[in-house]
Amino acid sequence: MKKKASCVVLFSGGIDSTTTLYWALARYDRVLPLTFDYGQRHRVEVRLAGRLLRRLGLPRTLLRLDLGQVGGSALTDPRIPLPRVRGRAEIPAGPPATYVPFRNGIFLAVAAAWAEARGVRDLVCGFHVLDSPEYPDTRREFVRAMEKAVNLGTAAAFGGPPARILAPFVGLRKAEIIRRGLRLGADYSCSVSCYAGGEAPCGTCSSCLLRREAWREAGREDPLVARLRKEGPR
């Protein structure tokens, strides 16, 4: 496969963005990971994302946005309780308390500006909707609409190179994303999904539930759990 020039990867450090990072590394000569510290309850993901990037010898760019000022989410407002679930049936329909209002739209807008300033046209993100349909900003339609908005609001509108927003896993389930990543050699031992804020999975938030189900379906032990059992949290 002939590699393309460069891309920006929205890299939170979770399973989906880790797979996306390895997907991009197989397709681009230059990969620029972009991580957001937005005041999230689970800020540990930022630290561990940096650890993986150091292992891979990739540059680390961390942008800080205080979405706590926006509020409205259990991930950015400590006054809102984190929902606890025992099974998928307990996950309510509609945007959950862990939905951060328009978070992915904000990320893509800032990433598009950052990429344009560096002459990079491709933005790659790990959004997927099949396991989490209650999040409105992970859908294929949303990605297309954001791409259109970026091209209308940047130099592309005056004949500059058009931006592309790529979400290669948007139509896959998390177990399928994991399988893709394993084939790419992805290292998931530092990928954190838990919303509670610790490195070790709490086991009772919706993100932990979906992650546990996905690894079970993939037929593999979760590398994060394996590392924690051997080394403990760092």
Side-chain angles (χ1 to χ4, degrees), residues 90-182:
E90 294 184 9
I91 299 176
T98 50
Y99 163 65
V100 180
F102 202 56
R103 181 189 66 179
N104 289 340
I106 295 168
F107 287 176
L108 284 172
V110 174
W114 191 87
E116 184 180 25
R118 288 154 183 81
V120 180
R121 61 181 292 233
D122 283 4
L123 304 177
V124 187
C125 50
F127 306 157
H128 74 108
V129 71
L130 291 188
D131 286 325
S132 302
E134 65 274 10
Y135 288 91
D137 56 353
T138 60
R139 296 171 298 154
R140 194 185 307 273
E141 297 87 349
F142 165 77
V143 173
R144 289 173 179 163
M146 286 298 298
E147 181 179 274
K148 182 178 180 180
V150 167
N151 281 308
L152 286 172
T154 59
F158 295 98
R164 299 196 305 169
I165 299 178
L166 307 176
F169 310 127
V170 70
L172 301 183
R173 299 184 63 243
K174 190 175 286 289
E176 295 173 305
I177 295 172
I178 287 172
R179 292 190 186 105
R180 295 279 183 96
L182 292 173

Side-chain angles (χ1 to χ4, degrees), residues 16-90:
D16 305 326
S17 70
T18 297
T19 308
T20 302
L21 179 66
Y22 280 83
W23 181 91
L25 287 170
R27 287 165 173 79
Y28 290 86
D29 285 324
R30 186 171 67 128
V31 174
L32 302 174
L34 195 59
T35 301
F36 290 96
D37 180 347
Y38 59 95
Q40 62 268 50
R41 181 193 294 256
H42 52 306
R43 193 176 279 119
V44 64
E45 69 176 359
V46 173
R47 175 170 58 84
L48 292 180
R51 185 188 302 178
L52 178 60
L53 294 179
R54 287 192 296 273
R55 287 181 183 176
L56 294 173
L58 293 173
R60 181 182 190 232
T61 299
L62 179 63
L63 297 185
R64 291 180 171 85
L65 304 171
D66 185 5
L67 296 189
Q69 295 180 91
V70 174
S73 171
L75 296 191
T76 58
D77 186 343
R79 296 170 298 180
I80 300 177
L82 183 68
R84 302 294 183 174
V85 296
R86 291 171 294 181
R88 188 182 287 264
E90 294 184 9

Side-chain angles (χ1 to χ4, degrees), residues 162-221:
R164 299 196 305 169
I165 299 178
L166 307 176
F169 310 127
V170 70
L172 301 183
R173 299 184 63 243
K174 190 175 286 289
E176 295 173 305
I177 295 172
I178 287 172
R179 292 190 186 105
R180 295 279 183 96
L182 292 173
R183 289 197 292 269
L184 291 167
D187 178 2
Y188 294 113
S189 64
C190 291
S191 66
V192 175
S193 302
C194 181
Y195 289 150
E199 187 172 343
C202 73
T204 59
C205 70
S206 60
S207 186
C208 280
L209 169 69
L210 293 174
R211 178 178 180 129
R212 185 170 60 246
E213 287 184 352
W215 280 106
R216 186 181 300 126
E217 184 179 336
R220 296 283 294 272
E221 182 181 21

